[in-house]
Amino acid sequence: MSNIKFEDYSVQVKNVLKDKAIAFLNEVGGEIRSHAQRNSRRKTSQTAGSYQYKVDEGGLAVHIGSDYWNAIYEEFGTGEHSINGGRQGYWVFVDTGGAPQAPKGGKSYTIDEAKKVVAMLRSKGLNAYYTNGKSANRPLFRAFESNRNKIESVARNYFGGT
């Protein structure tokens, strides 16, 4: 009979790996968020300031994004400039200081028609504009893509490997 004693350190090893993973996710999440903020257009800086990240420790994931309405327009574009194809022509909206409010019906106009509708709405005291969309700036996508090599390097620093 042997006097070999088995000692199970699997729980401690898993805890160390989890702690390293959480630190890695926080570092990467902060870096990508910062780059997304820098990549964002600056008119009021509301969109740039809205990017956040949150580490899901249970799922070992990091979620990076914005809950500000303009962030999705900034990322994917709108209308004719949308990266996924969008509404064609011009439309009119009223700036109320929050999310833009388009008149009911979602009608598309020619540029001349849009200008006339805006003039009529402005004559009624409304802060109206026309647009055929907003080009995609892709601040979050570009933040990830520009940091891809750095993320891999940081992962190697935390977890080893070549």
Side-chain angles (χ1 to χ4, degrees), residues 7-119:
E7 294 189 31
D8 184 1
Y9 293 103
S10 62
V11 172
Q12 291 90 333
V13 169
K14 287 178 183 177
N15 287 337
V16 168
L17 286 172
K18 184 175 182 178
D19 289 345
K20 284 184 176 236
I22 291 168
F24 165 75
L25 293 169
N26 273 297
E27 184 172 340
V28 169
E31 189 68 26
I32 293 173
R33 181 210 50 209
S34 294
H35 277 252
Q37 289 172 325
R38 285 193 296 273
N39 291 342
S40 189
R41 291 184 180 114
R42 294 280 199 276
K43 185 173 181 182
T44 65
S45 293
Q46 281 183 287
T47 304
S50 71
Y51 286 100
Q52 299 296 322
Y53 77 94
K54 181 176 176 127
V55 173
D56 174 0
E57 294 184 7
L60 293 179
V62 63
H63 305 279
I64 309 161
S66 169
D67 61 359
Y68 184 55
W69 60 267
N70 187 58
I72 197 161
Y73 302 158
E74 181 106 0
E75 191 67 34
F76 297 107
T78 62
E80 294 179 5
H81 307 286
S82 170
I83 65 172
N84 297 321
R87 174 193 232 173
Q88 300 299 298
Y90 287 80
W91 66 94
V92 173
F93 68 94
V94 175
D95 185 352
T96 61
Q101 301 296 311
K104 300 289 183 213
K107 183 169 171 39
S108 291
Y109 301 96
T110 66
I111 191 166
D112 291 332
E113 291 170 332
K115 287 178 181 180
K116 287 178 185 175
V117 171
V118 166

Side-chain angles (χ1 to χ4, degrees), residues 147-160:
N147 282 287
R148 184 184 297 265
N149 292 336
K150 184 175 184 176
I151 293 167
E152 291 172 3
S153 175
V154 170
R156 281 191 294 277
N157 288 339
Y158 276 98
F159 303 108

Side-chain angles (χ1 to χ4, degrees), residues 119-157:
M120 184 265 305
L121 291 171
R122 286 184 178 176
S123 74
K124 294 180 179 184
L126 297 171
N127 193 16
Y129 298 90
Y130 65 90
T131 184
N132 67 340
K134 177 179 188 172
S135 62
N137 186 32
R138 309 296 314 267
L140 195 54
F141 175 79
R142 291 187 305 121
F144 176 77
E145 287 298 313
S146 67
N147 282 287
R148 184 184 297 265
N149 292 336
K150 184 175 184 176
I151 293 167
E152 291 172 3
S153 175
V154 170
R156 281 191 294 277
N157 288 339

